[in-house]
Amino acid sequence: SAVISQKPSRDICQRGTSLTIQCQVDSQVTMMFWYRQQPGQSLTLIATANQGSEATYESGFVIDKFPISRPNLTFSTLTVSNMSPEDSSIYLCSVQGNSNQPQHFGDGTRLSIL
Amino acid sequence: AQRVTQPEKLLSVFKGAPVELKCNYSYSGSPELFWYVQYSRQRLQLLLRHISRESIKGFTADLNKGETSFHLKKPFAQEEDSAMYYCALATQGGSEKLVFGKGTKLTVNP
């Protein structure tokens, strides 16, 4: 399966600031996704990162709060904007080579907001 | 709405005992089901998917559409099986979002 590099692996941020998380894949993939895992909770899909167009957001997530870029088939970024303590979570990138393949996950970014 | 239920948050068994992690789903279409596992300090990784009908690390899971279940089973648990297990559902085609259950933490005691 593809090698997925996600960074930073963790960060501690101040309230009101923004952080951009990067996800790099070593091969071209059709689909890239961003998930959130809040403390003690399961994974929830934030959005599907579409190459060359705006991301598709799930209910409860908006572009102003979680802007996403996907400039090509191997790279995507998720920005967590105007952070508050409620944004403290693990953010995970996942990729899917094609529709017949399962999703594979990066190591995640553990984000804490003070 | 799509939903995945894992009724057991924690499951503890002894080494060599059989283990079953339960997963039930709710979806009106044709589902694709997965089990993902996360070992301590490792990334979330795919354990198996129902369309493969294979056994990975001794684990099997059968999709039961009548009972809308996809329970994960292993006849003889090993200590290295201790991990967090997540059941996940994808909509038809598998190229859409994954809906995850809340996970079951399995502990295999020596």
Side-chain angles (χ1 to χ4, degrees), chain A residues 2-5 31 33 35 37 40-43 45 58 92 96 99-107, chain B residues 6 9 32 34 36 38 42-46 49 51 86 93-103:
Chain A
V3 175
I4 306 166
S5 300
M31 308 290 286
F33 304 88
Y35 289 82
Q37 186 174 25
Q41 302 296 315
S42 188
L43 287 81
L45 181 66
E58 296 299 306
L92 297 107
Q96 187 176 24
S99 62
N100 294 321
Q101 295 177 338
Q103 290 184 33
H104 295 280
F105 287 81
D107 285 328
Chain B
Q6 292 180 252
K9 190 172 183 178
E32 185 170 359
F34 304 82
Y36 282 83
Q38 188 166 29
Q42 295 187 27
R43 68 174 57 183
L44 190 67
Q45 55 187 278
L46 178 69
R49 58 194 300 198
I51 63 172
Y86 294 96
S95 62
E96 297 185 26
K97 66 179 181 180
L98 287 176
V99 176
F100 282 85
K102 291 185 182 294

Side-chain angles (χ1 to χ4, degrees), chain A residues 22-36:
Chain A
Q22 298 181 0
C23 181
Q24 177 77 54
V25 194
D26 69 342
S27 59
Q28 293 185 345
V29 293
T30 304
M31 308 290 286
M32 295 183 78
F33 304 88
W34 288 98
Y35 289 82
R36 180 176 74 180

